[in-house]
Amino acid sequence: MNTVIQAANMTPGDNTLPHPLLTADAIAQMPEQVFVHPLNPRAIRQTKSLGDVVGFHHIGVHWVRVAPGHNSTEQHVHQLEEEFIYVLSGRGEADIGEETFTVGPGDFLGFAAKGVAHSLRNPYDEDLVYLVGGMRLEYDICDYPRLGKRMYRAGENRDYVDLEDSGSK
C-alpha cells in the first residue's frame, strides 16, 4: 500500500480503525480496479473503493471511471438496497425506466429500493467519472428487466436465475 494512503488511514493512538480523512492526493494514487459486469461485457468500469479504505462496512462509496464507448452496468433495479450516483466529470446517458437523460458534472441520481430500473453509459469522447454509493446489506435481490434475469445475493455469493423461475414476474 502506498505510504500516502497508509498515512491517511492511520488514526493516532488507534490502530483498529483507519483514519477518516482520505486526501485527494491519496485517492489519486490509489490503483483502479477493473470490474466487468457478469451480464454485460460492454459494462467495464474502473473503480476506487473509497468507503473500504476508511473502514465503512454498511455503506459502499466508490469513485468510478467509465471510458468512452462503455457502459457502467446492465440496466437493473435493487429490491432491498438504495444507491446513488453523483457525476464529477464527463458526460453520460442514463437510462431511467424507458427514458434516456444526458447527465454531466453536478448531476445527482438517487435510486430507492424497488424503484425504477436504471443504467448508465458513456457514448462520448471523454471519460465519465462519478461517485456511486449505496447500502451494503448482507442480502439483496436485483432484477435485470432487459435480460429477464434476477440475481440473489448473500454476502459475496450471487445466483442468477430467469425471472420466470423467480416466481415474481
Side-chain angles (χ1 to χ4, degrees):
M1 182 179 274
N2 182 299
T3 56
V4 174
I5 296 172
Q6 286 176 337
N9 292 325
M10 294 176 62
T11 302
D14 180 2
N15 293 329
T16 61
L17 291 174
H19 195 280
L21 173 62
L22 187 56
T23 65
D25 286 341
I27 294 168
Q29 293 182 39
M30 289 174 65
E32 295 179 9
Q33 304 297 316
V34 177
F35 176 80
V36 179
H37 196 281
L39 297 177
N40 183 347
R42 293 193 47 77
I44 303 170
R45 61 184 185 244
Q46 312 289 326
T47 65
K48 298 179 182 191
S49 294
L50 307 181
D52 291 347
V53 175
V54 297
F56 282 2
H57 296 285
H58 306 288
I59 301 170
V61 180
H62 310 278
W63 176 96
V64 177
R65 181 174 61 82
V66 178
H70 291 281
N71 300 354
S72 173
T73 187
E74 177 61 35
Q75 189 177 42
H76 67 284
V77 59
H78 293 274
Q79 298 299 311
L80 303 174
E81 294 184 336
E82 299 174 332
E83 67 180 322
F84 72 86
I85 295 171
Y86 182 80
V87 180
L88 299 171
S89 65
R91 292 181 300 151
E93 291 186 356
D95 290 333
I96 302 173
E98 298 302 318
E99 297 181 85
T100 299
F101 301 89
T102 300
V103 296
D107 288 338
F108 177 84
L109 301 90
F111 302 102
K114 298 182 183 177
V116 63
H118 53 277
S119 60
L120 188 60
R121 65 182 178 280
N122 181 3
Y124 300 103
D125 293 332
E126 62 183 322
D127 288 346
L128 170 64
V129 180
Y130 58 90
L131 288 179
V132 63
M135 303 166 75
R136 285 186 169 173
L137 300 176
E138 181 64 21
Y139 303 95
D140 192 21
I141 300 166
C142 189
D143 290 339
Y144 300 91
R146 290 181 177 167
L147 301 177
K149 297 280 186 192
R150 171 170 280 177
M151 177 198 62
Y152 293 95
R153 183 181 53 74
E156 296 297 317
N157 298 317
R158 288 169 170 76
D159 186 27
Y160 295 89
V161 301
D162 292 334
L163 278 173
E164 299 83 45
D165 296 340
S166 68
S168 72
K169 290 191 178 184

